[in-house]
Amino acid sequence: MSYENIRYESAGGIARLTLNRPDRLNSFNDAMHAELRDALARVRADTTARVLLLTGAGRGFCAGQDLSDRAVAPGGAAVDLGASIDRNYKPLVLALRTLPVPTVCAVNGVAAGAGANLALACDIVVAAKSASFVQAFCRIGLVPDSGGTYFLPRLVGTARALGLAMLGDKLPAEQAAQWGLIWKAVDDAGFAAEVEALLAHLSTAPTRGLVATRDAIHASSQATLAEQLDRERDLQRDLGYGDDYREGVAAFTAKRAPRFTGR
Ligand code: T3D
């Protein structure tokens, strides 16, 4: 499939996916969703990829659903938004959360509506200080979707989740980091270099161990302590037979840098 609404490349262990409708602040349309599905399937099948970068082209990260596809003429039939979520947004969020490699979202500018929550579906979210997060749904009479009602209270607590979701204010990147919504806000001047350093690190990290860590941390909110201890035991047992654990211990013992293969 050729892409018109996104850019995708994979090289040096890094898969890079860029939302690419900058004149519409990279808002989603059906064609972009289809391309994203295709690209994420490629990442999943790419045995050389060790990390995924998700970012946006131009001044924004993503403004959520393209609302020009949602305008209804007086008396016209309304669009079935539930069908849109089943077809596009739910598979997108679940595909990101279950990728076999760590995911980094570099929020280069405003992230609004489903665009904000797409970012929150990634493992590590780094934002330029000029970026912001907007739960814009309440401005058009909707609820936060694409995992918004799931991610927000878990990340920032009920009071802040409700404030963000019911008021729809722009949350500046620095405050988002202070609140624990994202990992880090970085000066615009150093943003690209910081993202590249993160990608270089993750592309040579013990990939299976990191993905198992993500899965365990996500599972913990539904688990008892005993269940979580059992989960950690099972993952540790599995990883303990892996190449990266063997390499990590060998490198530590030999006082050299490890050469992880992601296996
Ligand atoms: O529908 C379904 O399938 C259900 C799922 C829904 C998921 C959702 O995401 S619903 C929420 C949809 N998104 C929004 O409501 C956000 C709308 N946009 C904004 O609130 C603001 O544009 C931003 C806060 C994102 C950025 O503000 P600002 O001042 O930096 O930029 P701007 O001037 O508002 O926008 C720049 C241009 O992008 C402008 O076009 P123009 O005037 O230059 O021709 C604006 O219309 C366009 N744009 C921004 N967001 C969207 C958009 N065009 C279409 N759809 C958008 N979502």
Side-chain angles (χ1 to χ4, degrees):
M1 178 181 211
S2 64
Y3 301 144
E4 290 176 8
N5 301 280
I6 64 171
R7 294 198 303 261
Y8 176 75
E9 61 170 319
S10 178
I14 305 171
R16 295 169 190 269
L17 209 167
T18 306
L19 307 176
N20 193 26
R21 302 180 72 225
D23 51 325
R24 293 296 181 111
L25 293 182
N26 303 317
S27 54
F28 296 106
N29 57 18
D30 273 353
M32 185 195 261
H33 274 294
E35 292 174 17
L36 283 168
R37 273 194 293 279
D38 189 78
L40 289 173
R42 283 171 67 178
V43 179
R44 189 173 284 279
D46 182 349
T47 52
T48 68
R50 304 274 297 277
V51 60
L52 171 73
L53 168 70
L54 177 64
T55 192
R59 79 168 174 91
F61 170 67
C62 176
Q65 171 64 38
D66 186 330
L67 294 178
S68 57
D69 290 350
R70 292 290 178 265
V72 178
V79 175
D80 179 349
L81 303 187
S84 161
I85 286 171
D86 274 342
R87 183 175 66 248
N88 291 328
Y89 291 97
K90 181 180 174 187
L92 175 58
V93 170
L94 292 179
L96 272 175
R97 287 279 274 204
T98 57
L99 272 193
V101 295
T103 54
V104 172
C105 187
V107 182
N108 52 299
V110 65
N117 297 332
L118 183 72
L120 301 184
C122 293
D123 298 328
I124 298 191
V125 186
V126 185
K129 280 192 181 167
S130 61
S132 55
F133 297 81
V134 193
Q135 294 294 325
F137 307 90
C138 59
R139 298 181 185 177
I140 54 171
L142 298 181
V143 296
D145 63 22
S146 305
T149 59
Y150 181 94
F151 299 134
L152 290 171
R154 284 171 169 75
L155 290 167
V156 298
T158 306
R160 284 172 171 166
L162 282 170
L164 290 170
M166 294 181 74
L167 301 176
D169 291 346
K170 265 191 185 181
L171 183 72
E174 262 187 293
Q175 199 172 353
Q178 283 158 12
W179 283 11
L181 187 72
I182 64 169
W183 168 238
K184 206 182 247 193
V186 179
D187 282 330
D188 286 24
F191 179 61
E194 178 95 17
V195 170
E196 288 308 315
L198 191 55
L199 295 173
H201 171 77
L202 290 172
S203 66
T204 56
T207 314
R208 275 185 64 226
L210 298 187
V211 171
T213 300
R214 169 219 285 159
D215 293 346
I217 286 180
H218 288 167
S220 72
S221 62
Q222 309 293 336
T224 63
L225 175 59
E227 287 166 344
Q228 200 62 12
L229 289 167
D230 287 348
R231 189 185 312 277
E232 291 169 359
R233 173 204 60 211
D234 294 345
L235 291 169
Q236 219 69 307
R237 176 177 286 140
D238 183 40
L239 293 165
Y241 291 120
D243 293 350
D244 281 345
Y245 172 64
R246 186 174 291 241
E247 167 62 8
V249 173
F252 176 81
T253 309
K255 299 189 187 303
R256 63 168 173 79
R259 292 180 291 271
F260 294 120
T261 57
R263 290 192 291 271

